[in-house]
Amino acid sequence: FGLFFTGYARHLQGRSAETARLLEEAAADAGIRRSFFVDLVPLLAINLAASGRPDEAEAYIRTLSGRADRAEFGRRLLADLRLQGLLP
């Protein structure tokens, strides 16, 4: 779980590119996805978007939400991030 917690710490420090890299690695681990899904997916998406990678942020939301059978969560997250101006 170290990747997730280190990524979260980098997020709190405002280090978006490093956070995105760490959380992308964390998202590849099924155990981390299961344990931290509702925290991992938004943090990853926010930091990808902040790093100039909004298309990848949207793709991760759709992919990870689909894998977890949480499509509605993904749709709501996308809508929220668009309302906040973080995604186009």
Side-chain angles (χ1 to χ4, degrees):
F1 296 148
L3 286 169
F4 173 76
F5 289 114
T6 302
Y8 193 89
R10 296 302 178 268
H11 170 74
L12 294 174
Q13 295 171 336
R15 295 161 64 178
S16 296
E18 188 177 353
T19 300
R21 182 186 59 77
L22 289 164
L23 294 180
E24 282 180 289
E25 288 182 50
D29 182 299
I32 293 174
R33 285 194 313 269
R34 270 192 309 277
S35 297
F36 301 106
F37 178 83
V38 297
D39 297 307
L40 172 65
V41 176
L43 277 176
L44 176 56
I46 288 166
N47 284 281
L48 284 168
S51 299
R53 300 166 58 192
D55 293 338
E56 291 176 65
E58 184 171 343
Y60 265 108
I61 292 170
R62 292 182 188 284
T63 300
L64 296 175
S65 297
R67 284 184 191 165
D69 199 26
R70 309 270 310 260
E72 183 60 26
F73 176 89
R75 283 190 290 276
R76 288 182 182 183
L77 178 57
L78 286 169
D80 287 347
L81 294 178
R82 285 187 179 110
L83 281 174
Q84 294 174 40
L86 297 172
L87 292 178

